[in-house]
Amino acid sequence: GLLIALFASPALAGDVTLQSVDGTVTFTGSYGITAIKANELVWEGDTKVSQLKWKSSYVSTFSGGVTVELPHDFYLIGRGSIGLGGNGYMADYDWLVDGKPWSDRSQHPDTRLNHYYTASLELGRDVYSIDGTDLGVGLGFKYTDVKWTAWGGSYVYSDQGFRDARGKFDPDEKGISYRQSLPVPFVGANLKHVAGDWTFAGSLQGGLAVDAYDIDDHWVRNLRFYDYFDTTPTVSLSGSVDYAVWNNASVYLAGAFDHMFRVRGDTKMVDTETGN
């Protein structure tokens, strides 16, 4: 099984809002900077044998959303984000010598983000609204997909002895690719408070990762790992502080945290040359 934690935090963005004439449909668009991290742990029984730490910083992120006000205080919210570029890094650790700390490590400063996107759709209803404060509850579905590829790098391996082999990979050599796919139906609560030019908002979502999986390609060894997770709880937290600069534009600081709790899963290993 593996433990997956995904973190994304738009650090600073300019938000543009468009609204229909009757005020029932609102479109938002923004550009921001995002940090993404994934922590992959591989176990055999109760023994951890491998851990890969993936991350990207300063990812250019384009986000959009639409909110539709429906009759009887219901609403529909669609959100989506796409991340591009950024500075990436991956470290791969193995524990293959009994009684010792990590025995093998490779580091890959040239780790590239192939893609990052997330999208959600939520149907909810306002249950409380007074003095600029609104509280809504809803049901929705969220999908997140992220993939990295690590190139070149350096290594410390235990070959004839403990950590005795050291060297560098060809910088043009593709080492490992890693993709996560996280589909999550959820229940959520959304809170917003408006005070003059300031808007404070937060949301809490609890859900279940259903049919979540990852694909881990080790290109040098011609191996591909498919990891299929059992259903497991997830939690998402987000918050933002928004300041209106002028009528139809604002700047805001926002953060979000998504976590899939530890769960066992089956792994299938495939030789990509023979198909076995």
Side-chain angles (χ1 to χ4, degrees), residues 39-42 48-53 89-96 101-108 156-157 163 176:
N39 195 24
E40 177 188 7
L41 293 93
V42 183
K48 183 171 69 171
V49 296
S50 184
Q51 181 173 0
L52 294 88
K53 300 179 179 181
Y89 175 81
M90 190 272 281
D92 179 5
Y93 296 85
D94 292 323
W95 287 262
L96 303 178
W102 61 265
S103 59
D104 301 84
R105 183 189 67 189
S106 62
Q107 296 176 293
H108 307 268
V156 177
Y157 290 159
R163 299 182 184 175
I176 301 175

Side-chain angles (χ1 to χ4, degrees), residues 13-18 29 197 242-252:
D15 188 57
V16 177
T17 301
L18 299 175
D197 292 331
D242 185 294
Y243 180 75
V245 180
W246 57 84
N247 289 340
N248 292 318
S250 61
V251 293
Y252 67 88

Side-chain angles (χ1 to χ4, degrees), residues 187-210:
V187 295
N190 301 292
L191 181 66
K192 182 174 72 173
H193 177 72
V194 179
D197 292 331
W198 293 91
T199 300
F200 304 89
S203 68
L204 170 64
Q205 299 172 354
L208 295 172
V210 181

Side-chain angles (χ1 to χ4, degrees), residues 49-106:
V49 296
S50 184
Q51 181 173 0
L52 294 88
K53 300 179 179 181
W54 301 83
K55 68 177 182 179
S56 285
S57 304
Y58 306 107
V59 177
S60 293
T61 306
F62 301 88
S63 300
V66 58
T67 301
V68 181
E69 295 182 10
L70 303 174
H72 307 294
D73 295 326
F74 283 91
Y75 58 82
L76 186 66
I77 301 176
R79 302 183 181 95
S81 297
I82 297 176
L84 304 171
N87 298 330
Y89 175 81
M90 190 272 281
D92 179 5
Y93 296 85
D94 292 323
W95 287 262
L96 303 178
V97 179
D98 291 339
K100 295 283 189 178
W102 61 265
S103 59
D104 301 84
R105 183 189 67 189
S106 62

Side-chain angles (χ1 to χ4, degrees), residues 205-228:
Q205 299 172 354
L208 295 172
V210 181
D211 293 329
Y213 69 90
D214 73 60
I215 299 174
D216 195 351
D217 278 297
H218 291 243
W219 299 99
V220 178
R221 295 190 291 159
N222 300 310
L223 288 179
R224 172 173 289 180
F225 298 86
Y226 295 91
D227 302 304
Y228 305 98

